[in-house]
Amino acid sequence: MPTANRNANSEEKPNYVGRFAPSPSGPLHFGSLVAALASFLDARSQNGIWRVRMEDIDPPREQPGAARQILKSLEAYGLHWDDQVLYQSRRHETYRHIISDLKTRGLVYPCTCTRKDLRGQGGVYPGTCRDKTDNTKSPYALRVRCPEKVIEFQDLIQGPIKYALPDLGDFIIQRKDGLFAYQLAVCADDADQGITHIVRGHDLLNATPWQIYLLSLLNTATPAYAHIPVITLANGDKLSKQNHAPEIPLHQPEQQLINALQALGQSPDAELHGSSVSEILQWGIAHWQIEKVAKQPFVPLAALS
Ligand code: GLU
Ligand code: ZN
């Protein structure tokens, strides 16, 4: 059950609003439990608000029932969120509105490149369609035109981060198939939900400069960021539905929580064995030290047992 806001107050802006933003492409696995727990502990240890947002903007990649299953798992693990869950599938009107505004301001352009056209570019868009006029005859995606700008921020785990936007390339906010892209939805929602702290997986570190730039276009201040290691299989692959990462068990969540604390470098006391879910979380909140989280991009699951 959602709990009441802790530091929400009608007069003042809360000084900490965090979130966990799963994509319902499968049930909650151990890697996503670690991400949920990290953002929860960081928020609660600062008496902050913690929200859950369901990032269901990509129906072809979603699994029926996964959103419900994820929420059930969070509850079984004692990770109770504040307010209502926000569903991106109900936010299309807002996304359309933002896109039309960015278009009016000349900040986006249509791109008709195919996957084949972009092969061999190392994932960085070379700007092929930037200056084309009348490029809307065949199906097109919409890209944000990135300026010659260096984005710097202080990641609470990774330390100082600096990227030149041109090295990342112009990014897509609406796909050729018409679906809204993750970069757009995540920024629109972080802005509208008043998110001040983003704790999430290291795989999103290099999307952060784009998001800081897009947030600035939405008149939103840069939140604090902390990127935690991604849990992988022994071969370095991220746990995911594609590689059949098992759903975390709903019975006996205690051991999984202790393992997740360990994955976050929090060295749980031996006395925690035999404790209840809420005792383990209380311990986690009281002892949370973000500086103990490893800086590395990956932690193999095998290293935790
Ligand atoms: N929905 C994204 C994912 O599951 C996370 C988005 C975010 O935390 O910014 O990978
Ligand atoms: Zn193009």
Side-chain angles (χ1 to χ4, degrees):
M1 285 295 286
T3 52
N5 281 355
R6 309 234 162 162
N7 61 3
N9 158 334
S10 54
E11 312 280 315
E12 276 167 50
K13 258 193 177 172
N15 42 29
Y16 191 117
V17 185
R19 77 338 184 248
F20 172 56
S23 305
S25 53
L28 202 71
H29 52 68
F30 184 70
S32 36
L33 172 67
V34 170
L37 182 64
S39 63
F40 174 87
L41 294 178
D42 198 57
R44 296 304 194 216
S45 65
Q46 296 175 66
N47 216 15
I49 292 171
W50 186 67
R51 297 194 162 133
V52 171
R53 178 167 79 226
M54 204 48 76
E55 302 216 316
D56 52 352
I57 38 158
D58 193 353
R61 294 196 52 201
E62 280 151 30
Q63 189 180 294
R68 275 234 325 254
Q69 247 175 317
I70 290 172
L71 297 177
K72 252 180 77 179
S73 299
L74 290 175
E75 287 186 333
Y77 277 74
L79 301 172
H80 303 301
W81 57 90
D82 293 313
D83 311 311
Q84 305 270 337
V85 174
L86 184 74
Y87 289 83
Q88 293 191 328
S89 55
R90 299 181 196 158
R91 300 257 303 150
H92 290 191
E93 195 52 43
T94 302
Y95 302 152
R96 259 194 293 277
H97 190 82
I98 292 174
I99 287 177
S100 113
D101 175 61
L102 295 173
K103 271 185 183 165
T104 312
R105 293 157 67 192
L107 295 164
V108 296
Y109 63 89
C111 166
T112 51
C113 296
T114 61
R115 207 162 280 196
K116 206 170 133 209
D117 292 334
L118 301 178
R119 214 172 279 160
Q121 302 294 335
V124 177
Y125 182 66
T128 322
C129 300
R130 257 192 160 204
D131 302 311
K132 287 185 184 163
T133 48
D134 200 19
N135 195 24
T136 55
K137 298 224 168 66
S138 40
Y140 60 89
L142 281 176
R143 286 189 190 266
V144 171
R145 190 186 297 273
C146 285
E148 300 273 336
K149 201 174 169 162
V150 173
I151 302 278
E152 286 182 82
F153 63 99
Q154 185 71 25
D155 190 281
L156 297 172
I157 295 168
Q158 306 300 329
I161 304 287
K162 184 173 173 178
Y163 281 91
L165 283 178
D167 294 342
L168 296 174
D170 295 342
F171 59 97
I172 292 183
I173 55 167
Q174 189 166 24
R175 295 167 17 176
K176 251 186 210 177
D177 56 13
L179 291 178
F180 300 108
Y182 157 70
Q183 308 297 349
L184 176 83
V186 79
C187 291
D189 296 353
D190 285 335
D192 285 356
Q193 292 194 289
I195 302 300
T196 62
H197 289 70
I198 296 179
V199 181
R200 62 182 178 188
H202 193 284
D203 51 331
L204 291 165
L205 182 65
N206 59 6
T208 305
W210 283 334
Q211 295 177 13
I212 291 174
Y213 177 60
L214 186 48
L215 284 168
S216 77
L217 297 180
L218 305 177
N219 272 322
T220 302
T222 304
Y225 289 97
H227 287 87
I228 66 165
V230 167
I231 309 297
T232 64
L233 299 172
N235 66 5
D237 286 349
K238 182 179 170 179
L239 296 185
S240 68
K241 185 184 145 225
Q242 285 73 26
N243 58 34
H244 308 291
E247 176 178 4
I248 48 169
L250 288 187
H251 58 282
Q252 297 181 328
E254 296 83 2
Q255 188 56 46
Q256 300 282 338
L257 276 177
I258 290 174
N259 294 348
L261 283 169
Q262 215 138 31
L264 291 165
Q266 302 299 305
S267 32
D269 284 358
E271 289 100 84
L272 276 184
H273 291 278
S275 301
S276 68
V277 162
S278 88
E279 285 165 342
I280 295 168
L281 291 176
Q282 279 315 316
W283 183 95
I285 293 167
H287 294 83
W288 175 244
Q289 281 182 281
I290 201 164
E291 56 282 2
K292 284 179 141 186
V293 180
K295 266 189 173 196
Q296 67 211 62
F298 306 113
V299 169
L301 197 50
L304 300 171
S305 49

